[in-house]
Amino acid sequence: MTEQQKSVGRPRRAVDDQGRLLCCLCDTWKDPQEFHAKTNSSSGRDSRCKECDRERRKATWQKKQRANRIARALRASAANLM
């Protein structure tokens, strides 16, 4: 097997010698308990720590809420024009 064939695909999950995992967003080493369980990953844990995942979900929720407020306002103004 050549060197190029070995590097095909995604890299393995980063685990240090103490068993800690590397968060892909904040790039910090954390204990496995600080990651959500994920059965289909090689480590059994998510690639984002719980704190980063919470921030990502909150940002997505806020973005959707803002879009919904705008859509409701547009529907209300369109109904007033009729």
Side-chain angles (χ1 to χ4, degrees):
M1 190 178 280
T2 66
E3 191 65 34
Q4 186 178 14
Q5 289 173 330
K6 290 180 184 178
S7 65
V8 173
R10 294 187 302 173
R12 299 283 298 172
R13 184 81 168 100
V15 179
D16 70 355
D17 56 348
Q18 297 174 353
R20 297 180 304 171
L21 303 173
L22 180 65
C23 175
C24 68
L25 294 179
C26 64
D27 288 328
T28 57
W29 294 96
K30 298 185 177 189
D31 291 328
Q33 294 80 13
E34 296 184 48
F35 294 82
H36 289 290
K38 187 173 183 181
T39 57
N40 61 348
S41 84
S42 61
S43 66
R45 298 291 177 166
D46 199 358
S47 60
R48 293 177 296 268
C49 66
K50 290 179 180 179
E51 184 178 337
C52 289
D53 193 46
R54 187 179 312 114
E55 290 173 12
R56 184 186 63 86
R57 288 174 192 251
K58 184 178 179 181
T60 301
W61 181 81
Q62 288 173 341
K63 185 178 177 181
K64 287 181 180 180
Q65 288 295 96
R66 186 170 151 253
N68 288 339
R69 280 194 303 271
I70 292 169
R72 280 193 302 270
L74 289 174
R75 282 193 302 267
S77 65
N80 289 339
L81 293 175
M82 293 184 167

